[in-house]
């Protein structure tokens, strides 16, 4: 079997960390695999050492500015090329050409909506994986982001109408039936949620297949031990653009706890307050295996980091800076697994939140999360159960029209 794995949207290591163990399993089982990646540098670091072949995925590097704040999933698509039919046709054509060259029997798509649109045109069976944000409820129209005053359902519906209008123009160019709603892009594919029901951004769904997180062991990560001492152990992960970052750094500098702080992108001298014997600062990813016994995880909402520590029973202090991370943080708070830094915090208020999370026995008693199932097995099983389309050969060889 020939399997193409795709990653179109989203940043950092998380998406490849999901795809890596699946690609390795498929390759070890004798299948031909190819990964289409958004970020070639990240792929070189993650897939290269494991000898997993990869190519550049079609995507829009700069994006398209929206006239308003994103109100729902359709706005994400509009910002990534779906607001312009010519651009969307070009991106779709790019995916179709990739399918023609590799001729996959199956697709595994991680946050890859345009690749899914192209898969419908080419009639290639696909399996969609993602978290609750990346796989929104299949309503008509798709829901607005919950809990944000600017995310008006009428605006979200208007954005969806534009996305569907442009997608249908592309579908007409390829002589394919139109979409009735945006959900039609995804509704015919199996969807596996690589998260837990408690952490679904839209809330637990009765029709969702939750298989637990997919974790790939990232190569070339630093192994580091906790500093010497007897205080609580705090793992922190922050970036210069993290919300309230100065308050977080200031609060950590006041702690007598043993702290490991992963802080990429900071200029020389900006982390000087943390240069203490009980605090280790590192500029890049670290191996989390020996650090999951922490008493607290402080982060900007990186999903992979949060899930690893939650599954180990570690409470969270989160300072999210974008909608997806805010939605996740609210679910974690609702499950009594942590707290979110919001509003106008001070160094002292953040220090108080850290102290309460590392000492409050009631919070710690409620923080345990059930262990994940054998997620890779579930993905491979679902992939093998998917059925080939009857017109696949015709669609892959059909000349492309212009939108």
């Amino acid at each position: 079997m020939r399997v193409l794995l795709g990653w179109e949207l989203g940043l950092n290591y998380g998406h490849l960390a999901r795809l890596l163990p699946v690609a390795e399993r498929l390759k070890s089982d004798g299948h031909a695999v190819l990964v289409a990646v958004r970020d070639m540098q990240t792929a070189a670091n993650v897939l290269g050492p494991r000898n997993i072949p990869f190519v550049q995925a079609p995507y829009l590097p700069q994006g398209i500015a929206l006239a308003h704040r994103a109100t729902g999933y359709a706005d994400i698509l509009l910002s990534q090329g779906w607001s312009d039919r010519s651009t969307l046709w070009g991106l779709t054509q790019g995916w179709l050409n990739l399918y023609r060259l590799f001729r996959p029997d199956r697709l595994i798509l991680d946050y890859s909506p345009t690749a899914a649109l192209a898969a419908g045109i080419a009639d290639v069976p696909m399996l969609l994986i993602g978290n609750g944000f990346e796989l929104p409820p299949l309503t008509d129209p798709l829901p607005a982001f919950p809990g944000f005053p600017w995310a008006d359902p009428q605006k979200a519906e208007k954005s969806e109408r534009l996305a569907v209008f442009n997608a249908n123009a592309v579908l007409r160019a390829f002589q394919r039936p139109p979409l009735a709603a945006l959900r039609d892009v995804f509704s015919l594919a199996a969807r596996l949620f690589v998260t837990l029901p408690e952490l679904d951004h839209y809330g637990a769904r009765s029709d969702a297949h939750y298989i637990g997180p997919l974790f790939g062991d990232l190569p070339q990560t630093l192994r580091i031990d906790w500093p010497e001492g007897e205080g609580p152990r705090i793992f922190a992960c922050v970036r210069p653009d993290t919300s309230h970052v100065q308050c977080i750094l200031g609060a950590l500098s006041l702690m007598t706890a043993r702290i490991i702080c992963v802080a990429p992108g900071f200029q020389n001298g900006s982390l000087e307050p943390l240069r203490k014997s009980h605090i280790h600062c590192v500029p890049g990813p670290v191996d989390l295996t020996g650090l999951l016994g922490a008493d607290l995880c402080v982060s900007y909402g990186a999903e992979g980091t949060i899930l690893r520590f939650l599954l180990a029973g570690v409470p969270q202090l989160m300072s999210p800076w974008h909608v997806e991370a805010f939605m996740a943080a609210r679910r974690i708070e609702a499950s009594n697994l942590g707290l979110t830094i919001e509003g106008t915090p001070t160094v002292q208020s953040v220090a108080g939140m850290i102290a309460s999370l590392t000492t409050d026995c009631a919070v710690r008693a409620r923080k345990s999360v059930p262990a994940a199932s054998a997620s890779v097995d579930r993905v491979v099983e679902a992939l093998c159960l998917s059925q080939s389309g009857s017109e696949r050969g015709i669609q892959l060889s059909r000349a492309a029209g212009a939108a």
Side-chain angles (χ1 to χ4, degrees), residues 317-388:
L317 179 61
M318 302 153 290
S319 187
W321 64 276
H322 56 78
V323 168
E324 179 181 353
F326 264 111
M327 290 171 65
R330 288 172 177 171
R331 296 296 303 161
I332 290 169
E333 272 199 317
S335 299
N336 295 314
L337 302 174
L339 298 173
T340 304
I341 303 173
E342 295 188 82
T344 55
T346 64
V347 169
Q348 289 71 28
S349 67
V350 173
M353 297 173 80
I354 292 174
S356 68
L357 286 169
T358 54
T359 59
D360 186 346
C361 294
V363 171
R364 293 182 58 78
R366 293 194 299 265
K367 68 182 174 9
S368 179
V369 178
S373 61
S375 304
V376 175
D377 291 341
R378 296 286 299 278
V379 173
V380 173
E381 290 168 4
L383 185 73
C384 294
L385 287 173
S386 62
Q387 299 297 313
S388 297

Coordinates of all heavy atoms in Angstrom, one line a residue, residues 317-388:
L317 N -0.4 25.5 34.4 CA -0.6 26.9 34.4 C -0.4 27.4 33.0 O 0.8 27.3 32.5 CB 0.3 27.6 35.4 CG 0.2 29.2 35.5 CD1 -1.3 29.5 36.0 CD2 1.2 29.8 36.5
M318 N -1.4 28.0 32.4 CA -1.3 28.3 31.0 C -1.5 29.8 30.7 O -2.3 30.4 31.4 CB -2.4 27.5 30.2 CG -2.3 26.0 30.4 SD -3.9 25.2 30.2 CE -4.8 25.7 31.7
S319 N -0.7 30.3 29.7 CA -0.9 31.7 29.3 C -1.0 31.7 27.8 O -0.1 32.0 27.1 CB 0.3 32.5 29.7 OG 0.2 33.9 29.5
P320 N -2.2 31.3 27.3 CA -2.4 31.2 25.8 C -2.5 32.5 25.1 O -2.8 33.5 25.7 CB -3.8 30.5 25.8 CG -4.5 30.9 27.0 CD -3.4 31.0 28.0
W321 N -2.1 32.5 23.8 CA -2.1 33.7 23.1 C -2.9 33.7 21.8 O -3.0 34.7 21.1 CB -0.6 34.1 22.8 CG 0.1 33.1 21.9 CD1 0.8 32.0 22.3 CD2 0.3 33.2 20.4 NE1 1.3 31.4 21.2 CE2 1.0 32.1 20.0 CE3 -0.1 34.1 19.5 CZ2 1.3 31.8 18.7 CZ3 0.2 33.9 18.1 CH2 0.9 32.8 17.8
H322 N -3.5 32.5 21.5 CA -4.3 32.5 20.3 C -5.6 31.7 20.6 O -5.7 31.0 21.7 CB -3.6 31.9 19.1 CG -3.0 30.5 19.3 ND1 -3.7 29.4 19.3 CD2 -1.7 30.2 19.6 CE1 -2.9 28.3 19.6 NE2 -1.7 28.8 19.7
V323 N -6.6 31.7 19.7 CA -7.9 31.2 20.0 C -7.8 29.7 20.4 O -8.5 29.2 21.3 CB -8.8 31.4 18.8 CG1 -10.1 30.6 19.0 CG2 -9.2 32.9 18.7
E324 N -7.1 28.9 19.6 CA -7.1 27.5 19.8 C -6.5 27.2 21.2 O -7.1 26.3 22.0 CB -6.2 26.8 18.8 CG -6.0 25.3 19.0 CD -5.1 24.6 18.0 OE1 -4.7 25.3 17.0 OE2 -4.8 23.4 18.2
A325 N -5.5 27.8 21.6 CA -4.9 27.6 23.0 C -5.9 28.1 24.1 O -6.0 27.4 25.1 CB -3.6 28.3 23.1
F326 N -6.6 29.2 23.8 CA -7.5 29.6 24.8 C -8.7 28.6 25.0 O -9.1 28.3 26.1 CB -8.1 31.0 24.4 CG -7.5 32.2 25.0 CD1 -6.7 33.0 24.3 CD2 -7.6 32.4 26.4 CE1 -6.1 34.1 24.8 CE2 -7.0 33.5 27.0 CZ -6.2 34.4 26.2
M327 N -9.2 28.1 23.9 CA -10.2 27.1 24.0 C -9.8 25.8 24.7 O -10.5 25.3 25.6 CB -10.7 26.7 22.6 CG -11.5 27.8 21.9 SD -11.8 27.5 20.1 CE -12.9 26.1 20.2
A328 N -8.5 25.4 24.5 CA -8.0 24.3 25.2 C -7.8 24.6 26.7 O -8.1 23.7 27.5 CB -6.6 23.9 24.6
A329 N -7.3 25.8 27.0 CA -7.1 26.1 28.4 C -8.4 26.1 29.2 O -8.5 25.7 30.3 CB -6.4 27.5 28.4
R330 N -9.5 26.6 28.5 CA -10.8 26.6 29.2 C -11.3 25.2 29.5 O -11.9 25.0 30.5 CB -11.8 27.4 28.3 CG -11.5 28.9 28.3 CD -12.4 29.6 27.3 NE -12.3 31.0 27.4 CZ -12.8 31.9 26.5 NH1 -13.5 31.4 25.5 NH2 -12.6 33.1 26.6
R331 N -11.0 24.3 28.6 CA -11.4 22.9 28.8 C -10.6 22.3 30.0 O -11.1 21.5 30.8 CB -11.2 22.1 27.6 CG -12.1 22.5 26.4 CD -13.6 22.3 26.7 NE -13.8 20.9 27.1 CZ -14.9 20.4 27.7 NH1 -15.8 21.3 28.2 NH2 -15.1 19.2 28.0
I332 N -9.3 22.6 30.0 CA -8.5 22.1 31.1 C -8.9 22.7 32.5 O -9.0 22.0 33.5 CB -7.0 22.5 30.8 CG1 -6.5 21.6 29.6 CG2 -6.1 22.2 32.0 CD1 -5.2 22.0 29.1
E333 N -9.2 24.0 32.5 CA -9.7 24.6 33.7 C -11.1 23.9 34.1 O -11.3 23.7 35.3 CB -9.9 26.1 33.5 CG -8.7 26.9 33.8 CD -9.1 28.4 34.0 OE1 -9.9 28.9 33.3 OE2 -8.5 29.0 35.0
A334 N -12.0 23.7 33.2 CA -13.3 23.1 33.5 C -13.1 21.7 34.0 O -14.0 21.3 34.8 CB -14.1 23.1 32.2
S335 N -12.0 21.1 33.7 CA -11.8 19.7 34.2 C -11.0 19.7 35.5 O -10.5 18.7 36.0 CB -11.0 18.9 33.2 OG -11.8 18.7 32.0
N336 N -10.7 20.9 36.1 CA -10.0 21.1 37.3 C -8.6 20.6 37.2 O -8.0 20.0 38.1 CB -10.7 20.4 38.5 CG -12.0 21.1 38.8 OD1 -12.1 22.3 38.9 ND2 -13.1 20.3 38.9
L337 N -8.0 20.8 36.0 CA -6.6 20.3 35.8 C -5.6 21.4 35.7 O -4.4 21.2 35.5 CB -6.6 19.5 34.5 CG -7.5 18.3 34.4 CD1 -7.5 17.7 33.0 CD2 -7.1 17.2 35.4
G338 N -6.0 22.6 36.0 CA -5.1 23.7 35.9 C -5.8 25.1 35.9 O -7.0 25.2 36.1
L339 N -5.0 26.1 35.7 CA -5.5 27.5 35.8 C -4.9 28.3 34.5 O -3.9 27.9 34.0 CB -5.0 28.2 37.0 CG -5.5 27.7 38.4 CD1 -4.8 28.4 39.5 CD2 -7.0 27.8 38.5
T340 N -5.6 29.3 34.1 CA -5.2 30.2 33.0 C -4.9 31.6 33.5 O -5.6 32.2 34.3 CB -6.4 30.2 32.0 OG1 -6.7 28.9 31.6 CG2 -5.9 31.0 30.7
I341 N -3.8 32.1 33.0 CA -3.4 33.5 33.3 C -4.2 34.4 32.3 O -3.9 34.3 31.1 CB -1.9 33.7 33.1 CG1 -1.2 32.7 34.1 CG2 -1.5 35.1 33.5 CD1 0.4 32.8 33.9
E342 N -5.0 35.3 32.8 CA -5.8 36.2 31.9 C -5.8 37.5 32.5 O -5.4 37.8 33.7 CB -7.2 35.6 31.8 CG -7.3 34.3 31.0 CD -8.8 33.9 30.7 OE1 -9.3 34.4 29.7 OE2 -9.3 33.1 31.5
G343 N -6.4 38.5 31.8 CA -6.6 39.8 32.3 C -5.3 40.6 32.4 O -4.4 40.5 31.5
T344 N -5.0 41.3 33.5 CA -3.8 42.1 33.7 C -3.1 41.5 35.0 O -3.2 42.2 36.0 CB -4.2 43.5 33.9 OG1 -5.1 43.7 34.9 CG2 -4.7 44.1 32.6
P345 N -2.4 40.4 34.8 CA -1.8 39.8 36.0 C -0.5 40.6 36.4 O 0.0 41.5 35.7 CB -1.4 38.5 35.5 CG -1.1 38.7 34.1 CD -2.2 39.7 33.6
T346 N -0.1 40.4 37.6 CA 1.2 40.9 38.1 C 2.1 39.8 38.4 O 1.7 38.6 38.5 CB 1.0 41.8 39.4 OG1 0.5 40.9 40.5 CG2 -0.1 42.9 39.2
V347 N 3.4 40.1 38.7 CA 4.4 39.1 39.1 C 3.9 38.4 40.3 O 3.9 37.1 40.4 CB 5.7 39.7 39.3 CG1 6.7 38.7 40.0 CG2 6.3 40.2 38.0
Q348 N 3.3 39.1 41.3 CA 2.9 38.5 42.5 C 1.7 37.6 42.3 O 1.5 36.6 42.9 CB 2.5 39.7 43.5 CG 3.7 40.4 44.1 CD 4.4 41.3 43.1 OE1 3.7 41.8 42.1 NE2 5.7 41.5 43.2
S349 N 0.7 38.1 41.4 CA -0.5 37.2 41.2 C -0.1 35.9 40.5 O -0.7 34.9 40.9 CB -1.5 38.0 40.4 OG -1.1 38.2 39.1
V350 N 0.8 36.0 39.6 CA 1.3 34.7 38.9 C 2.0 33.8 39.9 O 1.8 32.6 39.9 CB 2.1 35.1 37.7 CG1 2.7 33.8 37.1 CG2 1.3 35.8 36.6
A351 N 2.8 34.5 40.7 CA 3.5 33.7 41.8 C 2.5 33.0 42.7 O 2.7 31.8 43.1 CB 4.5 34.6 42.6
G352 N 1.4 33.7 43.0 CA 0.4 33.1 43.8 C -0.3 31.9 43.2 O -0.6 30.9 43.8
M353 N -0.5 32.0 41.9 CA -1.1 30.9 41.1 C -0.2 29.7 41.1 O -0.6 28.5 41.3 CB -1.4 31.3 39.7 CG -2.5 32.4 39.6 SD -2.7 33.1 37.9 CE -3.8 31.8 37.2
I354 N 1.1 29.9 40.9 CA 2.1 28.9 40.9 C 2.1 28.2 42.3 O 2.1 26.9 42.4 CB 3.5 29.4 40.6 CG1 3.5 29.8 39.1 CG2 4.6 28.3 40.9 CD1 4.8 30.5 38.7
A355 N 2.1 29.0 43.4 CA 2.1 28.4 44.7 C 0.9 27.6 45.0 O 1.0 26.5 45.6 CB 2.2 29.5 45.7
S356 N -0.3 28.1 44.6 CA -1.5 27.3 44.8 C -1.5 26.0 44.1 O -2.0 25.0 44.6 CB -2.7 28.1 44.5 OG -2.8 28.3 43.1
L357 N -1.0 26.0 42.8 CA -1.1 24.7 42.1 C 0.0 23.7 42.5 O -0.2 22.5 42.3 CB -0.8 25.1 40.6 CG -2.0 25.7 39.9 CD1 -1.6 26.2 38.5 CD2 -3.1 24.7 39.7
T358 N 1.0 24.2 43.2 CA 2.0 23.2 43.6 C 1.8 22.8 45.1 O 2.5 21.9 45.6 CB 3.5 23.8 43.6 OG1 3.5 25.1 44.2 CG2 3.9 24.1 42.1
T359 N 0.8 23.4 45.8 CA 0.6 23.0 47.2 C -0.8 22.6 47.5 O -1.1 22.0 48.5 CB 0.9 24.2 48.1 OG1 0.1 25.4 47.8 CG2 2.4 24.6 48.0
D360 N -1.8 23.0 46.6 CA -3.2 22.7 46.8 C -3.5 21.2 46.6 O -3.6 20.8 45.5 CB -4.1 23.6 45.9 CG -5.6 23.4 46.3 OD1 -5.9 22.5 47.0 OD2 -6.3 24.3 45.8
C361 N -3.7 20.5 47.7 CA -3.9 19.0 47.5 C -5.2 18.7 46.8 O -5.3 17.7 46.1 CB -3.9 18.4 48.9 SG -2.3 18.4 49.8
A362 N -6.2 19.6 47.0 CA -7.5 19.4 46.3 C -7.4 19.4 44.8 O -7.9 18.6 44.1 CB -8.5 20.4 46.8
V363 N -6.6 20.4 44.3 CA -6.4 20.5 42.9 C -5.6 19.3 42.4 O -5.9 18.7 41.4 CB -5.6 21.8 42.6 CG1 -5.2 21.8 41.1 CG2 -6.5 23.0 42.8
R364 N -4.5 18.9 43.1 CA -3.7 17.8 42.7 C -4.5 16.5 42.7 O -4.2 15.6 41.9 CB -2.4 17.7 43.5 CG -1.5 18.9 43.3 CD -0.3 18.8 44.2 NE 0.5 17.5 43.8 CZ 1.2 17.4 42.8 NH1 1.3 18.4 41.9 NH2 1.9 16.3 42.5
A365 N -5.4 16.3 43.6 CA -6.2 15.1 43.7 C -7.1 14.9 42.5 O -7.5 13.8 42.1 CB -7.0 15.0 45.0
R366 N -7.5 16.0 41.8 CA -8.4 16.0 40.7 C -7.7 16.0 39.3 O -8.4 16.1 38.3 CB -9.4 17.2 40.8 CG -10.3 17.1 42.0 CD -11.4 18.1 41.8 NE -11.0 19.5 41.7 CZ -10.9 20.3 42.7 NH1 -11.2 19.9 43.9 NH2 -10.4 21.5 42.6
K367 N -6.4 16.0 39.3 CA -5.7 16.3 38.1 C -5.4 15.1 37.2 O -5.0 15.2 36.1 CB -4.4 17.0 38.3 CG -3.4 16.2 39.1 CD -2.1 16.9 39.3 CE -1.1 16.2 40.2 NZ -1.2 14.8 40.5
S368 N -5.6 13.9 37.7 CA -5.3 12.7 37.0 C -6.1 12.5 35.8 O -7.3 12.7 35.8 CB -5.4 11.5 37.9 OG -5.1 10.3 37.2
V369 N -5.5 12.1 34.6 CA -6.2 11.9 33.4 C -6.0 10.5 33.0 O -4.8 9.9 33.1 CB -5.6 12.8 32.3 CG1 -6.3 12.6 30.9 CG2 -5.8 14.3 32.7
P370 N -7.0 9.8 32.5 CA -6.8 8.3 32.1 C -5.7 8.2 31.0 O -5.5 9.1 30.2 CB -8.2 8.0 31.5 CG -9.1 8.9 32.1 CD -8.3 10.2 32.3
A371 N -5.0 7.1 31.0 CA -4.0 6.8 30.1 C -4.5 6.7 28.7 O -5.7 6.2 28.5 CB -3.2 5.6 30.5
A372 N -3.8 7.1 27.7 CA -4.2 7.0 26.3 C -4.2 5.6 25.8 O -3.4 4.8 26.2 CB -3.4 7.9 25.4
S373 N -5.0 5.2 24.8 CA -5.0 3.9 24.2 C -3.8 3.8 23.2 O -3.1 4.7 23.0 CB -6.3 3.6 23.5 OG -6.5 4.6 22.5
A374 N -3.7 2.7 22.6 CA -2.7 2.4 21.5 C -3.1 3.2 20.3 O -3.7 2.6 19.3 CB -2.5 1.0 21.3
S375 N -2.7 4.5 20.2 CA -3.2 5.4 19.2 C -2.7 5.0 17.8 O -3.5 5.1 16.8 CB -2.8 6.8 19.5 OG -3.3 7.2 20.8
V376 N -1.5 4.6 17.7 CA -0.9 4.3 16.4 C -1.7 3.1 15.8 O -2.0 3.0 14.6 CB 0.6 4.0 16.5 CG1 1.1 3.5 15.1 CG2 1.3 5.3 16.9
D377 N -1.9 2.1 16.7 CA -2.7 0.9 16.2 C -4.0 1.3 15.6 O -4.5 0.8 14.6 CB -2.9 -0.1 17.3 CG -1.6 -0.8 17.8 OD1 -0.6 -0.7 17.0 OD2 -1.6 -1.3 18.9
R378 N -4.7 2.2 16.3 CA -6.0 2.7 15.9 C -6.0 3.4 14.5 O -6.8 3.2 13.7 CB -6.6 3.6 16.9 CG -6.9 3.0 18.3 CD -8.1 2.0 18.2 NE -9.3 2.7 17.9 CZ -10.1 3.4 18.7 NH1 -9.7 3.5 20.0 NH2 -11.2 4.0 18.3
V379 N -4.9 4.2 14.3 CA -4.8 4.9 13.0 C -4.5 3.9 11.9 O -5.2 4.0 10.8 CB -3.6 5.9 13.1 CG1 -3.4 6.5 11.7 CG2 -4.0 7.0 14.1
V380 N -3.6 3.0 12.1 CA -3.3 2.0 11.1 C -4.5 1.1 10.8 O -4.8 0.8 9.6 CB -2.1 1.1 11.5 CG1 -1.9 0.0 10.5 CG2 -0.9 2.0 11.6
E381 N -5.3 0.7 11.8 CA -6.4 -0.1 11.6 C -7.5 0.6 10.8 O -8.1 0.1 9.8 CB -7.0 -0.5 12.9 CG -6.2 -1.6 13.7 CD -6.7 -1.7 15.1 OE1 -7.7 -1.1 15.5 OE2 -6.0 -2.4 15.9
A382 N -7.7 1.9 11.1 CA -8.7 2.7 10.4 C -8.3 2.9 9.0 O -9.1 2.9 8.1 CB -8.9 4.0 11.1
L383 N -7.0 3.1 8.8 CA -6.5 3.3 7.4 C -6.7 2.1 6.5 O -7.2 2.2 5.4 CB -5.0 3.6 7.5 CG -4.3 3.9 6.1 CD1 -4.7 5.3 5.7 CD2 -2.8 3.9 6.3
C384 N -6.5 0.9 7.1 CA -6.6 -0.3 6.3 C -8.1 -0.6 6.0 O -8.4 -1.3 5.1 CB -6.0 -1.5 7.0 SG -4.2 -1.3 7.1
L385 N -9.0 -0.1 6.9 CA -10.4 -0.3 6.7 C -11.1 0.6 5.6 O -12.2 0.3 5.1 CB -11.2 -0.2 8.0 CG -11.0 -1.3 9.0 CD1 -11.6 -0.9 10.3 CD2 -11.5 -2.6 8.5
S386 N -10.4 1.7 5.3 CA -11.0 2.7 4.4 C -11.0 2.0 3.0 O -10.2 1.2 2.6 CB -10.1 3.9 4.3 OG -8.8 3.7 3.9
Q387 N -12.0 2.4 2.2 CA -12.3 1.8 0.9 C -11.8 2.7 -0.2 O -11.9 3.9 -0.2 CB -13.8 1.5 0.7 CG -14.3 0.6 1.8 CD -13.7 -0.8 1.7 OE1 -13.6 -1.4 0.6 NE2 -13.3 -1.3 2.8
S388 N -11.3 2.1 -1.3 CA -10.9 2.9 -2.5 C -12.1 3.4 -3.2 O -13.1 2.7 -3.3 CB -10.0 2.0 -3.4 OG -8.9 1.6 -2.8

